[in-house]
Amino acid sequence: MDRLGSFSNDPSDKPPCRGCSSYLMEPYIKCAECGPPPFFLCLQCFTRGFEYKKHQSDHTYEIMTSDFPVLDPSWTAQEEMALLEAVMDCGFGNWQDVANQMCTKTKEECEKHYMKHFINNPLFASTLLNLKQAEEAKTADTAIPFLSLKMAVVDIYHSRLKERQRRKKIIRDHGLINLRKFQLMERRYPKEVQDLYETMRRFARIVGPVEHDKFIESHALEFELRREIKRLQEYRTAGITNFCSARTYDHLKKTREEERLKRTMLSEVLQYIQDSSACQQWLRRQADIDSGLSPSIPMASNSGRRSAPPLNLTGLPGTEKLNEKEKELCQMVRLVPGAYLEYKSALLNECNKQGGLRLAQARALIKIDVNKTRKIYDFLIREGYITKA
């Protein structure tokens, strides 16, 4: 026959099985002949005919479950207890929070059922009234009056203790006690995943530690897959169909990047070649960068000095590929022709891909002085090479 078992959703609140010592999940079996203490068995041990000391497999038994209606045919006893616990946790009137905690009923169903059976129920109302009158008669002479403000302070103190206990449980479950060890584990991930870990840490209080770690691991895997797909797409665009060619492509790409940096450095050197002090500062700044230090010497400002003379393009490679207006631009901006042609090609390709180009995109593509980038961008717009986005 059916009996009312434990109503808590936490399996650790139920007694363990005497056969396998596992936490009992409803429905489970209680021996009607053994006890006290009560003798409980899970369904698996019961079907195997488990026997222990005085308990025999042919004893009469009871099925412990809460899956039956009590006050309403559509509400089980387990849901009734879950409703009362949710109202106690969330407070009377917070029906949306109560429904979220229950997960099986809507906000309207929770409010209607509670008001009908626990507030406006005449049986419960008369019982509560009798209990209240009896308590008042019993403590009429000994009751100590409390001010409502004092009671509110006690409630606040209890709520803070409860919140402190909840936070300690989260810290313990997620392994945040040893913060240094936790930070070392985070550094295993790429920078983008570390930022995601930091952002999503606030949601650790909602899900368990295992689910949270699975969530982060899945995003780390997604990041790695996206990066690999992007690399393979780059190979496919370049017409590469095997990994041997891909290694050669990566080597050549690295070489081209080093050559581009050398040309950029040469362009910067030519900017300061007329000013020995500025050139020495630039060389010291590059030495700091090469040694892994942040440059501490600011570049000399040309404010208050006469402008540097136009760059002499005679003998510089790539000059023959420029028209007269481009030569004039390179002379005034003091930009070597090879670097200008490379910047021009990069801006044209990006403009063709995007259907237009903004100044901010141009500055992201060519890493040089922002004023020079602006002059090159305006020149290409004016001459019709590129269009604004």
Side-chain angles (χ1 to χ4, degrees):
M1 58 182 171
D2 294 341
R3 294 285 185 176
L4 185 63
S6 176
F7 296 101
S8 175
N9 293 325
D10 189 355
S12 61
D13 291 342
K14 299 182 176 66
C17 172
R18 295 296 296 272
C20 58
S21 299
S22 62
Y23 288 117
L24 293 173
M25 302 297 294
E26 295 182 1
Y28 54 95
I29 306 300
K30 175 185 177 183
C31 180
E33 301 181 17
C34 297
F39 193 92
F40 295 111
L41 289 175
C42 65
L43 293 181
Q44 289 76 12
C45 294
F46 175 73
T47 55
R48 289 198 302 266
F50 176 80
E51 295 181 347
Y52 179 74
K53 293 185 178 179
K54 296 182 179 181
H55 174 72
Q56 301 297 320
S57 59
D58 58 352
H59 283 182
T60 56
Y61 60 90
E62 299 175 358
I63 300 176
M64 308 299 291
T65 180
S66 58
D67 189 16
F68 56 90
V70 178
L71 302 175
D72 192 309
S74 61
W75 284 68
T76 64
Q78 187 173 7
E79 289 176 330
E80 298 283 359
M81 294 301 298
L83 174 63
L84 295 178
E85 291 178 359
V87 172
M88 183 176 60
D89 293 341
C90 303
F92 177 78
N94 299 322
W95 300 115
Q96 185 60 57
D97 295 338
V98 171
N100 293 338
Q101 181 168 327
M102 286 195 60
C103 300
T104 59
K105 299 294 182 181
T106 65
K107 168 187 174 183
E108 292 76 14
E109 291 174 337
C110 293
E111 180 179 5
K112 181 179 178 181
H113 184 82
Y114 191 85
M115 296 300 296
K116 177 181 179 180
H117 295 284
F118 296 99
I119 299 298
N120 300 324
N121 191 323
L123 175 63
F124 289 173
S126 61
T127 304
L128 293 176
L129 180 60
N130 294 335
L131 290 176
K132 182 178 180 182
Q133 292 175 348
E135 186 67 20
E136 290 179 351
K138 180 180 179 181
T139 60
D141 299 331
T142 59
I144 301 175
F146 286 96
L147 297 178
S148 58
L149 179 60
K150 293 182 178 179
M151 297 299 295
V153 172
V154 173
D155 290 340
I156 293 173
Y157 177 71
H158 286 170
S159 64
R160 289 189 176 182
L161 289 180
K162 185 177 179 180
E163 177 64 16
R164 185 183 302 174
Q165 183 180 8
R166 186 184 68 86
R167 294 189 179 187
K168 287 182 178 180
K169 184 177 184 302
I170 293 174
I171 293 175
R172 182 175 62 252
D173 293 344
H174 287 267
L176 302 179
I177 297 177
N178 190 343
L179 185 59
R180 179 173 178 80
K181 180 180 178 181
F182 186 79
Q183 292 174 343
L184 291 176
M185 293 177 60
E186 281 189 355
R187 292 173 186 171
R188 300 178 304 171
Y189 303 110
K191 181 63 169 60
E192 293 80 0
V193 181
Q194 291 182 21
D195 296 339
L196 174 67
Y197 215 115
E198 181 66 27
T199 303
M200 301 304 295
R201 184 177 298 171
R202 67 192 67 179
F203 298 104
R205 68 185 67 181
I206 301 176
V207 298
V210 178
E211 290 78 7
H212 185 68
D213 290 341
K214 287 182 179 179
F215 175 75
I216 298 298
E217 290 288 347
S218 63
H219 277 274
L221 178 60
E222 178 188 2
F223 172 76
E224 294 294 336
L225 291 176
R226 287 181 180 273
R227 185 169 61 178
E228 185 66 16
I229 290 173
K230 184 177 180 180
R231 185 171 69 92
L232 295 176
Q233 288 176 341
E234 181 182 357
Y235 291 156
R236 179 60 59 88
T237 304
I240 297 174
T241 57
N242 55 71
F243 287 103
C244 181
S245 301
R247 287 192 293 269
T248 304
Y249 172 80
D250 290 336
H251 176 71
L252 294 176
K253 181 180 178 181
K254 182 179 180 181
T255 304
R256 287 194 301 269
E257 182 66 20
E258 292 175 351
E259 292 296 330
R260 188 188 69 80
L261 291 176
K262 290 179 181 179
R263 289 195 296 270
T264 304
M265 292 176 62
L266 176 61
S267 175
E268 292 185 2
V269 169
L270 292 175
Q271 295 178 37
Y272 305 105
I273 198 67
Q274 302 294 332
D275 190 339
S276 60
S277 176
C279 184
Q280 290 296 328
Q281 291 185 7
W282 181 87
L283 291 175
R284 286 194 293 269
R285 182 167 67 96
Q286 291 299 321
D288 290 340
I289 295 175
D290 294 339
S291 61
L293 302 176
S294 58
S296 58
I297 302 177
M299 297 303 298
S301 173
N302 291 329
S303 59
R305 302 181 182 180
R306 66 181 182 86
S307 302
L311 178 64
N312 185 6
L313 303 181
T314 304
L316 293 180
T319 305
E320 67 280 359
K321 298 180 182 180
L322 306 180
N323 56 37
E324 293 302 323
K325 292 184 178 180
E326 290 177 326
K327 290 180 181 178
E328 181 179 355
L329 173 69
C330 291
Q331 290 174 345
M332 298 306 297
V333 180
R334 299 186 62 80
L335 188 65
V336 294
Y340 165 76
L341 292 173
E342 183 176 350
Y343 299 152
K344 175 184 175 183
S345 176
L347 296 178
L348 288 177
N349 292 336
E350 187 66 19
C351 181
N352 293 333
K353 291 180 181 179
Q354 304 293 336
L357 193 67
R358 299 194 304 271
L359 178 60
Q361 294 173 317
R363 287 174 174 170
L365 286 174
I366 53 179
K367 307 292 185 180
I368 58 175
D369 181 72
V370 293
N371 295 323
K372 289 189 176 183
T373 304
R374 178 59 181 264
K375 292 179 180 179
I376 297 173
Y377 176 79
D378 292 341
F379 173 79
L380 296 178
I381 292 289
R382 186 170 59 252
E383 295 299 320
Y385 291 106
I386 61 176
T387 57
K388 290 184 178 181

